[in-house]
Amino acid sequence: MFINFFFNLKSKGIPVSLHEWITLHHAMAMNLNDCSLTNFYHMARSILVKNEIFYDRYDIAFLDTFGGIETTDEMLDEILAGLKKVKELKLSEEEKKQIEQVNLDQVLKNFEEQMKQGHYKNHVGGNKAIGTGGRSTQGAWGYNPAGIRIGQGESRHKRAIQVAEKRTFRNYSSDITLDTRQMRVALSHLRSLLPIGYGEKLDLKKTIDQTCRNAGEIELVWENKEKKSSKVMLLMDVGGSMTPFSELVERLFSAAAGQINRFKHFYFHNCFYQDLWTDMERNQCVSTMEILKSEDHDYKVIIVGDAEMAPSELTWANGAIDYWYHNDTAGIIWMQRFKEKFKDAIWLNPLPKRSWEYVHSIRMVRDVFPMFELTLDGLDEGIKYLMTGKCELYNR
Amino acid sequence: MDYFKGTEDYVISKELRDNVNVSIALGRPLIVKGEPGTGKTLLAHAIAKGLAKKFHIWNIKSTTKAQDGLYLYDTVQRLNDARFGDHDVADIKQYIKLGKLGEAFNADEQVVLLIDEIDKADVEFPNDLLNELDEMSFYIPETKETIKAKTRPIVIITSNSEKELPDPFLRRCVFHYIEFPEQQLMEEIVHVHFPDIEKKLLREALKKFYWIREFDMLRKKPSTSELIDWLQALVIGGIPAKTIENEIPFLGTLLKKKEDIEVVEKSGKSHYAYNSSMRTRDVY
């Protein structure tokens, strides 16, 4: 049943509404898809799916629904398969003239007759039936100016099922790790209007407008100064198990640096203790306590790391992975202090979510910070959490 | 009914052409999304040209309000006139100026309206236009007048997805995502711009172009418009196809960021021209 397509789309998580479903029926009633499944595939997608990240799921739903269907597109293919290409026919001028005299009505009539008799299978040469390279009035690569040509040009557009099977849009689907531009877009949601001062700026335009509406009686309109800006602190795990993800983290860094007005960044290795490094090589450092004391508490904190370490690195004094480094306070305490100071803090993990449950230290970190995958979905969710305090997974 | 077939100087994929016709037939706006430089804005120009219709552009900026597109009530002018008594100020109609959307509705024949880069405006902007685009009409309270479209204009909306568009708005539109053209389509596009470019040069140039686009960590991938610029530079510079096989001249026309140029140059030097960024995707 056709309605299954609708429920299939729904079950794949595509937000299709009844409104759009009915629009699709309107379009089909007008035969905008020209009775072809391939055209239907594209038309239905343009009406039902409004974001390219769902194109891949659409392909899957389409395959589920129409996977085994036989279409007119296929029938045409069957005919074409029978029309194997052979050498072109050479005819004398006289013969050509004879053939030219056959008119189109006759040709069409002939064609229909042939179709009924099923002559089109694997026919090469000859004067009557559908085939290739012959003198008959149907088929491809033959000689008859009034003939019917069936699919001589190569079709550039494959059948819908094949198109769907290719799943070219897999890369657009949102659970793939992201590129710089997508990151920038996601991070731009962090900007919010921060008011500076109350009612201290004269809104000239509104004042004039109000005065005009009052027919000349002057009325002053004041406005709050507001500016779109964001304050973000980025803490990045570098070295060790994070090396494979260094490209990804670097991209996040460059996107954030370009997108955010007040931006601070620090580095750490596996877990942070009393010092945070300001350079990637970990030569320069600042005191964590100092940051906790001096920075505004409304910074949005994004921590990036795989949180994969020995539990002792989190729980022991002097548990740091670098043997020359001594910490009096356990790492998990520092994390909790951070969380207490900065209420809006999230942890982005480049490891896939399915692996989180198996690592003890990740579970411990998740108890402190809400953790999100470093993918488009995860970043969006995380930023939603930072801005509103709630998202699907966590609620503050 | 109007059927858009494409124009000579705008190469269009079949899917996009079909979707344009679906949107015209249904009388709904067509939202076009895609990488920068894939010809979203040009599409609207091509539709207007192909159907021989008048063309209106409404360029959206971050400060644009929905009201701007409908009409503007010039109160200051009215006050001024009232002071000096040149005009009959009782007639408010003469102070109402129609915006781009208003103009398109008010036109006698069907027009093509391009709402360019709708995502630049405030988040609420598309929602404010819901009813107006649905009914293709709006009401001016000052003059108690309703502006209604005589024929529904063909509305093309482009978006760079800097902001998500609201769902109720999307529901009322037809959506198309322009994929980056494949090599074959790209050749056709180039031929429109350079009808007599040398075949070998084009092939080599495109090979390099798609190779550069493979790099995952580019800050900004080169797009069609950059390719056209680059080819122009190659043609003017008289660079033979052989040279492109070994090096990439005028790299600055393709890549606009210093870091990107470094990345490409670095990997171009190694013997196998190994694209190191390919690894990052399948790391786990």
Side-chain angles (χ1 to χ4, degrees), chain A residues 344-387:
Chain A
D344 304 324
I346 55 166
W347 188 294
L348 293 175
N349 198 330
L351 293 177
K353 200 170 185 175
R354 57 189 137 82
S355 66
W356 293 356
E357 271 308 304
Y358 304 108
V359 185
H360 190 64
S361 58
I362 294 185
R363 289 215 302 270
M364 289 169 73
V365 171
R366 277 180 83 185
D367 283 341
V368 183
F369 295 108
M371 191 177 281
F372 300 91
E373 249 182 342
L374 185 47
T375 60
L376 192 55
D377 268 348
L379 192 60
D380 269 344
E381 276 290 291
I383 281 165
K384 211 188 279 168
Y385 177 80
L386 282 181
M387 296 308 290

Side-chain angles (χ1 to χ4, degrees), chain A residues 81-111:
Chain A
L83 300 172
K84 289 202 197 95
K85 195 171 179 178
V86 293
K87 269 188 196 161
E88 266 185 55
L89 200 64
K90 292 265 186 296
L91 290 173
S92 67
E93 281 304 309
E94 205 179 306
E95 278 176 303
K96 281 187 193 173
K97 253 193 203 135
Q98 254 183 357
I99 295 167
E100 270 165 32
Q101 279 161 6
V102 184
N103 71 8
L104 193 62
D105 284 343
Q106 264 177 299
V107 172
L108 280 172
K109 216 174 116 201
N110 192 4
F111 179 71

Side-chain angles (χ1 to χ4, degrees), chain A residues 97-269:
Chain A
K97 253 193 203 135
Q98 254 183 357
I99 295 167
E100 270 165 32
Q101 279 161 6
V102 184
N103 71 8
L104 193 62
D105 284 343
Q106 264 177 299
V107 172
L108 280 172
K109 216 174 116 201
N110 192 4
F111 179 71
E112 275 162 24
E113 261 170 41
Q114 304 275 342
M115 271 299 259
K116 269 183 219 149
Q117 290 161 20
H119 272 227
Y120 61 86
K121 270 186 186 161
N122 300 328
H123 195 105
V124 177
N127 286 336
K128 269 185 184 166
I130 308 174
T132 45
R135 263 156 294 189
S136 95
T137 45
Q138 302 93 26
W141 296 286
Y143 187 88
N144 193 320
I148 297 170
R149 181 204 268 172
I150 312 174
Q152 193 155 346
E154 267 166 29
S155 169
R156 268 176 49 195
H157 298 277
K158 313 274 154 49
R159 281 163 34 210
I161 303 296
Q162 282 174 350
V163 175
E165 262 172 1
K166 262 195 347 200
R167 293 183 59 192
T168 30
F169 287 95
R170 192 177 289 170
N171 281 351
Y172 295 101
S173 115
S174 56
D175 48 354
I176 297 275
T177 45
L178 3 69
D179 66 21
T180 319
R181 188 186 150 70
Q182 287 169 318
M183 282 189 191
R184 276 218 312 274
V185 171
L187 287 170
S188 72
H189 298 309
L190 278 175
R191 272 182 289 182
S192 54
L193 285 173
L194 299 178
I196 324 170
Y198 179 74
E200 56 178 17
K201 203 176 140 209
L202 180 69
D203 189 335
L204 200 58
K205 227 179 146 192
K206 275 199 187 134
T207 303
I208 293 172
D209 198 43
Q210 269 310 321
T211 308
C212 294
R213 278 173 207 275
N214 280 358
E217 192 81 18
I218 289 171
E219 188 174 324
L220 299 174
V221 182
W222 300 93
E223 66 170 349
N224 294 345
K225 252 194 211 163
E226 270 186 341
K227 214 175 152 239
K228 257 201 172 170
S229 62
S230 48
K231 294 158 90 177
V232 171
M233 197 185 288
L234 188 63
L235 278 76
M236 289 163 283
D237 184 355
V238 284
S241 52
M242 279 298 283
T243 311
F245 307 112
S246 60
E247 292 276 353
L248 192 64
V249 176
E250 203 230 326
R251 263 188 253 163
L252 181 72
F253 171 78
S254 78
Q259 200 66 31
I260 289 157
N261 317 47
R262 277 189 267 174
F263 176 61
K264 282 187 186 298
H265 62 280
F266 302 101
Y267 299 94
F268 62 95
H269 187 191

Side-chain angles (χ1 to χ4, degrees), chain B residues 74-127:
Chain B
D74 195 347
T75 44
V76 182
Q77 182 67 47
R78 188 163 174 235
L79 176 67
N80 193 43
D81 287 352
R83 283 274 167 94
F84 302 105
D86 298 352
H87 287 72
D88 175 22
V89 287
D91 182 16
I92 296 179
K93 214 174 170 181
Q94 57 183 323
Y95 302 106
I96 300 281
K97 292 200 179 82
L98 288 181
K100 286 287 171 195
L101 204 58
E103 270 177 29
F105 287 173
N106 213 23
D108 289 326
E109 51 193 66
Q110 194 180 32
V111 297
V112 177
L113 172 68
L114 168 67
I115 304 180
D116 209 6
E117 309 198 26
I118 195 165
D119 51 329
K120 284 248 175 75
D122 193 64
V123 194
E124 284 303 312
F125 176 83
N127 274 340

